[in-house]
Amino acid sequence: MRVVILGCGRLGLRLAAKLTKEGNRVVVIDKNQNSLHKLDRDFSGEALQGDGVNMEIYQSVFSEKADVFFAVTNSDNTNIMAAEIARQKYKVEKTIARIGDPIRAKAFEELGIETVCPTTMCEKKLLKMISPVKPQDREEVD
Ligand code: AMP
C-alpha cells in the first residue's frame, strides 16, 4: 500500500515506522523539520516538509495514487480539512482524521468522515481499568 501521513509527531512517527517495516510505501509530511528529523535513520519512506493547510502539498503528494491517508497533526481543524481534501478531491479510499474533541469527532463520523478520538479511547480504557473485573479477564480496548 501507499500510505500518506500528515503529522510526524508522537503518533505519526510510530505509524510511519510500523507501516514502513510492514513493507508499505510511506510518505510522511510535517510542517516542522525538527519533527521529521525524529524519523529513524533507517526510515526508507519519503519525508516531506509541508504545511497541511497549504493545498500545494496535496497536489504533489496525491499526483500518485494513495491507498490510505492519516491526518494526525495536533490540530483538529487541519486534520478534518486534510481528510476531506484527500477523500473528496483526490478520492483516497481510506482517510482517517485524529480529532481530539469528542463532540466534533462524533459529528464528523455522522457525516461519513472516519475519525479516531484519543480522548474517548482513553476514557474507555481508564473506566475499564477501574472496573471490578479481574485484570486477566479484561478485554483490550482497540
Ligand atoms: P503530536 O501531537 O506529538 O502527535 O505532534 C503533532 C505533529 O503535527 C507535530 O510534529 C506538528 O509539527 C505537526 N503539525 C501540526 N500542524 C501541522 C500542519 N498544519 N501541517 C503539518 N504538520 C503539522
Side-chain angles (χ1 to χ4, degrees), residues 7-18 35-36 38-40:
C8 188
R10 288 159 295 188
L11 178 57
L13 263 180
R14 293 179 67 87
L15 286 172
K18 179 98 179 158
S35 297
L36 296 169
K38 292 183 184 147
L39 286 161
D40 281 349

Side-chain angles (χ1 to χ4, degrees), residues 30-135:
D30 202 290
K31 65 178 180 183
N32 186 345
Q33 193 68 52
N34 288 336
S35 297
L36 296 169
H37 281 154
K38 292 183 184 147
L39 286 161
D40 281 349
R41 276 173 186 275
D42 62 353
F43 174 69
S44 57
E46 205 180 329
L48 296 177
Q49 187 176 11
D51 195 319
V53 299
N54 183 345
M55 293 300 130
E56 283 154 30
I57 194 75
Y58 302 108
Q59 184 71 46
S60 137
V61 89
F62 293 130
S63 58
E64 187 181 345
K65 181 184 177 291
D67 303 288
V68 178
F69 177 64
F70 290 115
V72 292
T73 76
N74 50 2
S75 159
D76 285 2
N77 287 340
T78 304
N79 293 342
I80 204 69
M81 186 198 79
E84 274 302 84
I85 291 168
R87 192 171 75 114
Q88 306 268 18
K89 187 165 161 70
Y90 295 100
K91 312 290 178 211
V92 180
E93 242 173 65
K94 191 85 181 162
T95 70
I96 304 170
R98 160 189 171 187
I99 306 292
D101 175 355
I103 295 166
R104 295 173 80 200
K106 192 163 176 282
F108 290 127
E109 278 285 340
E110 283 166 9
L111 292 174
I113 300 163
E114 274 198 82
T115 63
V116 285
C117 179
T119 316
T120 50
M121 286 169 82
C122 190
E123 174 202 348
K124 281 184 197 152
K125 177 97 181 173
L126 288 169
L127 292 174
K128 204 163 239 179
M129 286 169 81
I130 60 160
S131 73
V133 181
K134 285 185 266 158

